[in-house]
Amino acid sequence: MKKIVKILLWIVGIVVALFLLVSLLAGPIAKGYVNRHGEDLTGRRVHVDHVGLNLFTGHVNIRDLAVYEDDAATVFAGFDTLDVGVRLLKIPFRTLHFGHITLAGLHAGIRQDGEQFNFNSLIAHFASDDTTEVQDTTPSDWVLKFYNIRISHARLHYDDVSTGKSWRVPDVNLRVPGFELGGEGNTEGGLNIGFERGGRLGVVANYDAKSNNYGLTVSLADFALGNIESFVNDMLRVESLDGSLYANLKAEGNIDEIMNSVVSGNLALLGLAVGDENGKVPETV
């Protein structure tokens, strides 16, 4: 009997050791695969500095990932850190449960030149050539649960090459405590955006999957109209646009009866000054 117990312990020990070895090697193997085959997968050069995988806990940590432009030298988009926790024991019950998703230092740049965008080749790479492919509309019995989602200090910018206009959003933060796909859990979240020339946008939303009721609160504080000056100058034929916009809006209702939603709140525009081609108009609001 003792001999059988010892054999079983040896077998369990070997299995655990092998699983631990695979867990330790999984990260470096995944990193090497992405760096070698990223272009085959996305159509663009991809580089990542670190991939950490723990098969015991379902923890994934990726650091310093970059997707490059078509020239393979200029960074198109990337992030500093992606940290994800998956509850592996939920998978046999057809539930994919993300305990947390944290994305820090996301950065992306959109460039437009006429009708061409710098992401067109990415779309073309993933587009299917099979026009006869039949879409599977069968509802999935899988439940996807996402909790503790955070995007912190994302940086976005847009450049129009043909007009020379650009727009920068230097600080985007998103917080979503939880939501489900295929389940009946509630969804709530908040978005916070800081703008390059002043102002901050805050959005808080909640949604009840059972009743389809929703609530939305939008607040805009000290938003400098200079943030949109380059976009309205050509349309309004003005030389300059100054002033600050404030808003506090709230909407409540049901998704099934969206036109019956109740919207309330207030808007304020302070210090509006519009300058034409001959100089700024002295009167302000």
Side-chain angles (χ1 to χ4, degrees), residues 26 49 236 250 258:
D49 278 350
L236 301 180
K250 184 176 182 180
I258 194 69

Side-chain angles (χ1 to χ4, degrees), residues 74-230:
T74 307
V75 175
F76 164 67
F79 56 79
D80 297 337
T81 304
L82 174 63
D83 198 89
V84 181
V86 182
R87 296 190 180 181
L88 300 178
L89 295 179
K90 297 282 188 178
I91 295 178
F93 301 98
R94 307 186 74 80
T95 297
L96 196 56
H97 184 122
F98 294 88
H100 73 273
I101 301 175
T102 301
L103 181 61
L106 172 68
H107 50 90
I110 303 299
R111 190 179 70 255
Q112 180 181 3
D113 189 357
E115 296 182 355
Q116 296 297 316
F117 290 87
N118 60 338
F119 52 77
N120 284 356
S121 62
L122 283 171
I123 296 175
H125 179 82
F126 290 103
S128 175
D129 295 330
D130 185 3
T131 58
T132 63
E133 183 179 355
V134 179
Q135 295 290 335
D136 185 3
T137 58
T138 305
S140 173
D141 56 355
W142 277 81
V143 176
L144 305 181
K145 297 184 178 184
F146 302 85
Y147 295 98
N148 300 316
I149 301 173
R150 288 184 179 275
I151 297 177
S152 60
H153 305 301
R155 308 182 306 277
L156 310 173
H157 68 267
Y158 164 80
D159 295 294
D160 190 329
V161 177
S162 59
T163 64
K165 299 184 183 302
S166 64
W167 196 45
R168 300 289 188 273
V169 183
D171 188 25
V172 179
N173 299 277
L174 174 68
R175 178 190 59 84
V176 180
F179 73 94
E180 297 182 8
L181 297 176
E184 295 184 344
N186 293 339
T187 299
E188 58 178 315
L191 175 66
N192 192 283
I193 300 176
F195 297 97
E196 182 183 26
R197 297 182 61 175
R200 187 162 289 274
L201 171 68
V203 180
V204 177
N206 59 77
Y207 170 69
D208 186 338
K210 291 182 179 179
S211 64
N212 268 353
N213 290 332
Y214 79 93
L216 180 68
T217 300
V218 178
S219 60
L220 187 64
D222 199 24
F223 177 78
L225 296 183
N227 286 300
I228 59 174
E229 182 180 70
S230 61

